[in-house]
Amino acid sequence: MKNKFTVDDAAILLIDHQQGTIKLAINLPYKDLVHNTRALARTAVETGMPLVLTSSMEDEFQGPLLQDIQDIAPKAFANRVKRPGIVDAWDYDDFKKAVEATGKKKLIMCGLTNDVCIVFPAISALEDGYEVQVVIDGGGSPTQVADETAIRRMEKAGVTITSTNQVMAELAANWADERGRKIQGIMYEEILAPLVEGDKAEAH
C-alpha cells in the first residue's frame, strides 16, 4: 500500500468522547468503545503523535471528557477545544486552528457519535484538502441504522473508514521495531488481552 498513514505524518483527533455522550453510542459495547478510545489516545501519547481533543457543551448532558482520556493525555486534555455547541467541529475556528497547528495533512479521527459528531467534521476536513480516516469503532451511534448511514455518507464523500486495530497496525508498520512493539503492546493491553486470556484479563 503506497499511501500509508504513519506515526510521523498523521495526527489523531478525538471528538466529543464525553461522559454523557457515550451513553448514546449503544450499538457497541461500552467497554469496547472505551478501550478502543484508550488505545488511540495511548498510541498518540506514547509515540509522540499530535493529539487534538474537543468537547461540546461540557456543562450540559454531554458532560466532561471521559476520565480515561484525562488520565492518559493530561496535556491534550488541558488544551482541549471546548465548543459552545457548534455541531460540525470543523466549523469552530479554535478546533480547526488546533488541527492546522499540528502541521499534519493526514488525520485519524473518531467521535461520539458517529452519526452526528464525526460525520460532518470528517467530510469538512476532507473538503479542505486533508486525508481522513475515521475509526468507526472509536465511536458509535444510537442505532445500527444510524451508524451505517453515517458510514455510507462518509465513504461517498471519500473518507476512509477503518477500525482501531487496523489503523494501529498501519501506524505500527513493523511489529519488530521500537514503535511497532510499543503500539502492539498498547493493542494487546487495551483490546486483545480479553480475547487471548479470557476471564483472567477481564478480571484486571
Side-chain angles (χ1 to χ4, degrees), residues 16 22 28 76 105 109 115 152 159 177 179 189 194 197:
D16 301 349
I22 196 171
L28 288 175
K105 297 297 287 185
M109 305 172 67
D115 67 327
R152 287 198 300 271
V159 174
D177 69 18
R179 284 176 172 172
E189 291 167 8
E197 301 178 24

Side-chain angles (χ1 to χ4, degrees), residues 69-83:
I69 294 176
Q70 298 184 40
D71 294 341
I72 291 167
K75 183 177 179 181
F77 174 73
N79 294 325
R80 70 193 183 282
V81 178
K82 295 187 282 186
R83 305 193 320 282

Side-chain angles (χ1 to χ4, degrees), residues 26 30 40 51 72 94-95 102 109 130 146 150 156-157 171 173 185:
I26 61 176
Y30 178 91
L40 293 170
L51 174 63
I72 291 167
D94 288 354
F95 178 74
T102 70
M109 305 172 67
Y130 288 81
K156 184 176 181 180
L171 292 172

Side-chain angles (χ1 to χ4, degrees), residues 25-46:
I26 61 176
N27 66 312
L28 288 175
Y30 178 91
K31 65 179 180 61
D32 292 349
L33 182 50
V34 170
H35 278 289
N36 290 340
T37 304
R38 284 178 53 87
L40 293 170
R42 285 186 60 190
T43 296
V45 171
E46 295 178 34

Side-chain angles (χ1 to χ4, degrees), residues 61-136:
F61 86 90
Q62 292 94 327
L65 290 179
L66 297 176
Q67 187 63 49
D68 296 78
I69 294 176
Q70 298 184 40
D71 294 341
I72 291 167
K75 183 177 179 181
F77 174 73
N79 294 325
R80 70 193 183 282
V81 178
K82 295 187 282 186
R83 305 193 320 282
I86 305 300
V87 174
D88 183 346
W90 201 256
D91 285 341
Y92 191 58
D93 284 344
D94 288 354
F95 178 74
K96 187 175 180 180
K97 288 175 181 177
V99 176
E100 291 172 344
T102 70
K104 308 301 181 183
K105 297 297 287 185
K106 296 177 186 286
L107 306 179
I108 297 166
M109 305 172 67
C110 65
L112 291 172
T113 56
N114 285 333
D115 67 327
V116 173
C117 299
I118 197 62
V119 62
F120 304 118
I123 293 172
S124 293
L126 188 81
E127 290 173 344
D128 273 355
Y130 288 81
E131 296 178 62
V132 178
Q133 292 196 39
V134 166
V135 186
I136 209 67

